[in-house]
């Protein structure tokens, strides 16, 4: 067996960075899935003034269908359920896989067997100790339900070795297995064996985990209430991303269901809520100018222009390349978000801190701004001035503003671009009909592995209809890679091809905003709101 302890990996990586003299350098879209983020820029540091007790009141945008995260990728479920549940593995602040309920893990020489040593003495919220029987039942349930596991873990078996050791037997090796187990969009949550085995297709109805807060009550359309789990046993390592020490500092957490943004913001200003999730860009000034309030700006994902590649002008790659040469990415981002605090020019689908995946491959094609080249490529397509439809919606002002800026830039190279404006729900329906559009804009949350970007995979049939045997082949090679180094090198090739084939244009990364009372200390967003290590001053 070769040991792949992530602690050892992080230590070796740190040494490598020092030796090199380096100082360190979601599938989810707007409206349907959650935010992903790193450390917030403005949230307070809870260590200096943290105190126990009190209640944290959060105003949230939507009500989940369930609190069982193994059966859905819905953002509302993810954000609330992870205070209840934990997984064998999780992600640190560099998005590296780190043990959580597993004390350590190893992988066999042939890469087909993962061995997990469990932390001992971990209690569920019902008072029972977590053992291998619970882990096997939970992982079998998650493996059956998770969309991410269908190809990676196809045919896999979970086996109990003893009360504190579990093995995962694979039909084929894959470097993506640890990322799948640490993914937050459909959490591989550990729950009691009897709960996992009795859960139906819509998920468990008893919400019992090992996390720092336990479920108390769900008042439909009003709130969901959690309380501190007194027997929670945190690890001793410093908090990092979703890993490390997790302390339940407040007694109670209420997630208030408040779909209307103006009501959420009014509640923050009046003191009814301590945190509001989802502040629009045009409401930031009001919150920043209110005494006792601040905004938490957290990285979300990237804005992208999607081409219809099934029919019409942009089924020709030269037409897509013409748009890429015509598009001034900085202008589009400035039109969308205004303030430079909210966007970054960035060619990668991953963030620089995602050291397992980040690459700047294709950067020479990211923002070339060459109108003569754009006109030349367009002429080579035989374009004859037919109308080009850009689907857009005013429901998301930044997406609408990006569409307006793009229309103007395309007109500069002779494209007869027209905006078709709908509400967001109608746009989502229309984008499945290739005969009615040529371009639309959306945002995509930062993902854990390339396979979560549905616009890459031809088999996904995601609107835009990518059909690239080369990209498909690279996705398959990444899935079969025997090491992360090999997978990362293959992803760099994929990203280069992304900028050549252009299934979409990644315009740049952008942030989203939460509003916070100054009474709250330690709040941050990392792939959703983080409510542990958070205190509220009375």
């Amino acid at each position: 067996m070769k040991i792949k302890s992530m602690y050892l990996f992080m230590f070796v990586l740190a040494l490598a960075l020092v030796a090199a003299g380096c100082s360190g350098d979601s599938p989810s879209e707007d409206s349907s899935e959650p935010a992903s983020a790193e450390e917030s820029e403005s949230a307070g540091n809870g260590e200096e003034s943290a105190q126990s007790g009190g209640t944290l009141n959060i105003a949230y945008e939507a009500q989940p269908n369930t609190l069982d995260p193994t059966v859905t990728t819905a953002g509302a479920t993810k954000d609330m359920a992870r205070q209840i549940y934990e997984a064998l593995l999780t992600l640190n602040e560099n998005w590296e896989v780190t043990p959580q309920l597993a004390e350590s893990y190893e992988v066999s020489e042939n890469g087909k067997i993962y061995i997990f040593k469990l932390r001992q003495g971990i209690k569920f919220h019902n008072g029972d100790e977590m053992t291998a029987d619970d882990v096997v039942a939970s992982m079998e349930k998650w493996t059956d339900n998770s969309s991410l596991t269908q190809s990676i873990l196809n045919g896999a078996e979970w086996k109990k070795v003893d009360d504190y050791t579990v093995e995962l037997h694979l039909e084929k090796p894959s470097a993506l297995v640890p990322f799948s187990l640490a993914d937050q969009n459909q959490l591989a949550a550990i729950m009691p064996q009897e709960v996992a085995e009795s859960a139906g297709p819509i998920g468990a109805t008893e919400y019992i985990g090992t996390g720092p807060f336990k479920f108390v009550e769900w008042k439909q359309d009003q709130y969901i209430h959690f309380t501190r789990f007194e027997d929670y046993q945190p690890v001793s390592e410093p908090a990092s991303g979703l890993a490390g020490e997790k302390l339940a500092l407040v007694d109670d957490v209420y997630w208030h269901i408040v779909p209307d943004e103006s009501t959420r913001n009014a509640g923050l200003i009046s003191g009814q809520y301590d945190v509001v999730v989802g502040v629009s860009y045009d409401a930031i000034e009001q919150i920043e100018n209110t005494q006792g309030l601040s905004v938490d700006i957290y990285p979300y994902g990237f804005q992208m222009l999607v081409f219809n590649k099934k029919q019409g002008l942009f089924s020709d790659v030269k037409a897509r390349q013409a748009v890429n040469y015509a598009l001034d990415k900085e202008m589009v981002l400035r039109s969308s978000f205004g303030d430079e605090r909210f966007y970054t020019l960035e060619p990668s689908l991953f963030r620089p801190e995602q050291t397992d995946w980040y690459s700047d491959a294709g950067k020479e094609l990211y923002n070339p701004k060459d109108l003569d080249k754009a006109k030349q490529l367009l002429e080579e397509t035989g374009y004859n001035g037919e109308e080009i439809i850009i689907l857009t919606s005013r429901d998301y002002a930044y997406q609408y503003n990006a569409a307006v800026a793009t229309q103007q830039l395309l007109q500069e190279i002779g494209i007869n671009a027209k905006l078709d404006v709908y509400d967001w729900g109608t746009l989502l329906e229309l984008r499945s009909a290739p005969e009615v559009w040529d371009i639309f804009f959306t945002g995509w949350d930062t993902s854990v592995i390339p396979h979560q970007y549905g616009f890459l995979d031809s088999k996904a049939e995601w609107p835009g209809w990518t059909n690239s045997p080369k990209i498909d082949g690279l996705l398959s090679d990444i899935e079969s890679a025997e090491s992360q180094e090999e997978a990362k090198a293959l992803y760099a090739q994929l990203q280069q091809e992304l900028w050549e084939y252009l299934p979409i244009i990644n315009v740049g990364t952008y942030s989203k905003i939460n509003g916070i009372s100054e009474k709250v200390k330690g709040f941050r967003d990392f792939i959703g709101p983080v409510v542990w290590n958070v205190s509220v001053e009375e």
Side-chain angles (χ1 to χ4, degrees), residues 2 167 171 189 191 224 259 285 369 373 385 406 420 427 469 473:
K2 59 181 179 182
E167 291 183 349
E171 288 194 345
M191 55 189 72
I224 304 177
E285 184 175 356
K369 293 187 294 186
K373 180 73 171 178
T406 298
D420 274 3
L427 187 152

Side-chain angles (χ1 to χ4, degrees), residues 134-324:
D134 304 303
V135 173
V136 170
S138 299
M139 290 300 88
E140 288 178 342
K141 173 178 179 291
W142 170 77
T143 303
D144 288 342
N145 289 315
S146 173
S147 57
L148 188 59
T149 64
Q150 297 310 305
S151 59
I152 299 171
L153 297 185
N154 186 31
E157 290 186 74
W158 292 90
K159 297 182 179 181
K160 172 185 173 181
V161 177
D162 57 42
D163 281 349
Y164 301 106
T165 307
V166 169
E167 291 183 349
L168 171 62
H169 291 245
L170 305 171
E171 288 194 345
K172 58 182 180 181
S174 173
L176 301 183
V177 169
F179 291 99
S180 302
L181 291 167
D183 180 48
Q184 298 295 302
N185 283 325
Q186 196 164 358
L187 188 69
I190 305 299
M191 55 189 72
Q193 178 184 9
E194 63 274 17
V195 175
E197 291 180 345
S198 63
I202 60 172
T205 54
E206 284 186 280
Y207 303 126
I208 301 173
T210 61
F213 292 93
K214 58 183 182 181
F215 173 79
V216 177
E217 181 184 26
W218 185 339
K219 286 279 189 182
Q220 287 289 324
D221 301 318
Q222 295 183 50
Y223 62 79
I224 304 177
H225 175 201
F226 304 88
T227 192
R228 174 165 53 200
F229 178 38
E230 299 292 350
D231 291 331
Y232 181 69
Q233 293 177 284
V235 297
S236 58
E237 289 79 11
S240 172
L242 299 174
E245 186 177 47
K246 298 159 67 173
L247 299 177
L249 296 178
V250 296
D251 293 331
D252 297 281
V253 181
Y254 283 85
W255 293 71
H256 300 270
I257 312 303
V258 190
D260 180 68
E261 188 204 342
S262 61
T263 304
R264 294 198 303 273
N265 293 344
L268 179 68
I269 292 170
S270 70
Q272 181 180 4
Y273 307 127
D274 304 306
V275 174
V276 296
V277 175
V279 173
S280 62
Y281 297 101
D282 56 8
I284 294 171
E285 184 175 356
Q286 179 191 21
I287 291 177
E288 289 185 321
N289 289 334
T290 301
Q291 187 174 6
L293 302 182
S294 65
V295 294
D296 168 27
I297 303 170
Y298 60 93
Y300 173 77
F302 52 89
Q303 187 178 49
M304 63 184 197
L305 179 158
V306 183
F307 291 112
N308 177 356
K309 299 170 289 298
K310 180 170 279 189
Q311 65 183 68
L313 176 64
F314 298 115
S315 59
D316 186 335
V317 68
K318 287 186 178 180
R320 303 198 294 272
Q321 292 169 343
V323 173
N324 189 44

